[in-house]
Amino acid sequence: MKKIRIQFLLFVYDKTQKLYRKYFKKKKRQWQFNERQLLEFKEDSLGRKLGEFYHKHGFSMIPKMENHDVHHLITDCGTNFEDEIAMQYLLLGNGKLNAHLLAAIVLGTLILPEHMKIYLKAYRKGQNMRAFHEWDFEGLLWQNFEHLKDFIQQKDIIVLH
């Protein structure tokens, strides 16, 4: 039964992600790098880690959706459907809000409700991270991956004098 639910989610994702890019990402340009070029970045850089991510999973870059893949790396969210939904919860907790994200959360929760504890944990994790959901990571591909990840995973601290 779960296999059928996931096939349905795959069908919906396939039909909606092109519309999402067309209508929600129309002003965004695709990155100027491809998977092979990312593997040429310095070993400990975000660019190299992203290239290795694509290679490991057999993924190709989707134009205008490159930041999504970086989100997987910096949040330690996997790529199966439960993890994809959890990442949407994490992004909601981090402050991102749009119709596509809300639709993914609602549909994902209805289709795979047995993972609700994981989703709520991801939401709280997103709340406890620096707001990164609007960052353009293309300009940060040269940065040390672990340093960048550590920086994002630390919540902004308000200091009162």
Side-chain angles (χ1 to χ4, degrees):
M1 185 62 157
K2 184 176 179 179
K3 185 177 180 181
I4 293 170
R5 293 183 287 159
I6 290 177
Q7 286 176 331
F8 174 71
L9 285 173
L10 277 169
F11 172 78
V12 171
Y13 172 76
D14 184 55
K15 299 300 178 194
T16 61
Q17 71 99 358
K18 291 175 185 130
L19 293 172
Y20 175 71
R21 285 189 294 144
K22 182 176 180 179
Y23 294 108
F24 286 87
K25 302 284 187 175
K26 59 183 160 189
K27 292 182 181 177
K28 187 165 175 60
R29 66 166 182 77
Q30 76 181 63
W31 285 10
Q32 302 302 303
F33 299 96
N34 61 37
E35 299 89 344
R36 181 187 46 78
Q37 290 169 320
L38 292 173
L39 289 170
E40 295 171 6
F41 275 77
K42 189 175 169 185
E43 188 172 340
D44 60 355
S45 69
L46 171 62
R48 176 68 169 269
K49 296 294 182 189
L50 184 58
E52 291 170 355
F53 171 84
Y54 289 127
H55 182 74
K56 175 183 174 187
H57 294 287
F59 294 159
S60 297
M61 295 174 84
I62 299 173
K64 301 183 179 185
M65 298 293 288
E66 301 90 350
N67 278 342
H68 175 87
D69 298 323
V70 173
H71 294 166
H72 279 284
L73 290 175
I74 62 173
T75 64
D76 296 319
C77 285
T79 57
N80 61 35
F81 258 96
E82 307 87 74
D83 293 334
E84 287 286 351
I85 297 161
M87 190 166 75
Q88 298 306 312
Y89 270 90
L90 186 148
L91 291 169
L92 180 65
N94 196 249
K96 184 173 183 176
L97 187 61
N98 64 43
H100 189 261
L101 177 132
L102 291 176
I105 286 174
V106 169
L107 188 60
T109 303
L110 289 173
I111 303 290
L112 297 171
E114 64 269 26
H115 301 287
M116 196 63 202
K117 284 184 181 178
I118 294 169
Y119 303 155
L120 293 175
K121 183 178 178 183
Y123 177 80
R124 287 188 295 274
K125 182 177 179 179
Q127 287 180 308
N128 291 316
M129 299 172 87
R130 291 182 193 272
F132 66 87
H133 64 276
E134 290 184 343
W135 290 16
D136 181 3
F137 285 97
E138 184 179 19
L140 299 173
L141 292 173
W142 291 267
Q143 297 297 313
N144 179 285
F145 173 70
E146 291 301 327
H147 294 165
L148 183 62
K149 185 175 171 181
D150 288 345
F151 178 77
I152 289 169
Q153 292 188 359
Q154 297 171 6
K155 180 75 173 177
D156 293 327
I157 300 169
I158 298 172
V159 178
L160 300 174
H161 296 275

